[in-house]
């Protein structure tokens, strides 16, 4: 049985609107290669999406006894941002790492095994 993993893609701040059509196609070709590799391994992509630039993000900080603090991006403390994610299955942690290494990025990726919550505890 396969387990589920979530992969977060970190990049230096990016602006997809500044990419040329050729740059965009090249980037998407790399992502398609990752998706094809997952399927070729007998696994599945469960969800994926690119995220808007950090200038369009909102940070919500809970505060005890007060309304949450809401701040619009960009955030000065941010050096790299999450620009997208994949949720996919893999048979082993080793396979998940091998597949994750195929994701194109100018930064890095983080790979997390998904914690299956047992609500009947």
């Amino acid at each position: 049985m396969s387990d589920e993993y979530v992969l977060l893609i970190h990049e230096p701040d990016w602006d997809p609107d500044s990419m040329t059509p050729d740059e965009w196609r090249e980037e998407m070709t790399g992502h398609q290669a990752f998706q094809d590799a997952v399927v070729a391994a007998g696994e599945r992509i469960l969800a994926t999406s690119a995220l808007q630039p950090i200038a369009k993000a909102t940070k919500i900080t809970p505060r005890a006894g007060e309304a949450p603090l809401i701040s619009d991006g960009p955030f000065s403390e941010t050096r790299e941002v999450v620009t997208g994610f994949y949720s996919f299955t893999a048979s082993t942690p080793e396979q998940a790492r091998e597949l994750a290494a195929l994701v194109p990025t100018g930064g890095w990726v983080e790979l997390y095994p998904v914690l299956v919550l047992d609500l009947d505890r």
Side-chain angles (χ1 to χ4, degrees):
M1 182 171 148
S2 296
D3 290 323
E4 184 176 345
Y5 292 84
V6 170
L7 180 148
L8 302 177
I9 304 166
H10 290 264
E11 303 273 359
D13 192 16
W14 74 302
D15 180 5
D17 293 333
S18 70
M19 295 174 71
T20 68
D22 287 341
E23 290 170 330
W24 189 255
R25 267 190 298 280
E26 182 180 333
E27 187 73 19
M28 292 304 103
T29 298
H31 285 281
Q32 187 62 56
F34 163 73
Q35 294 174 29
D36 292 345
V38 170
V39 172
E43 301 299 337
R44 297 181 306 137
I45 299 286
L46 302 174
T48 184
S49 203
L51 303 177
Q52 292 283 345
I54 196 162
K56 297 181 181 180
T58 301
K59 180 178 180 181
I60 302 168
T61 307
R63 299 185 298 177
E66 297 182 57
L69 177 63
I70 298 176
S71 308
D72 291 328
F75 312 114
S76 61
E77 68 276 10
T78 304
R79 294 176 193 247
E80 290 85 17
V81 295
V82 176
T83 59
F85 71 92
Y86 285 99
S87 174
F88 67 101
T89 62
S91 298
T92 65
E94 294 78 19
Q95 181 187 45
R97 287 192 293 270
E98 289 171 10
L99 291 168
L102 299 175
V103 173
T105 178
W108 72 92
V109 299
E110 289 179 339
L111 180 65
Y112 293 88
V114 172
L115 177 63
V116 178
L117 299 176
D118 180 2
L119 300 178
D120 293 327
R121 281 185 163 180

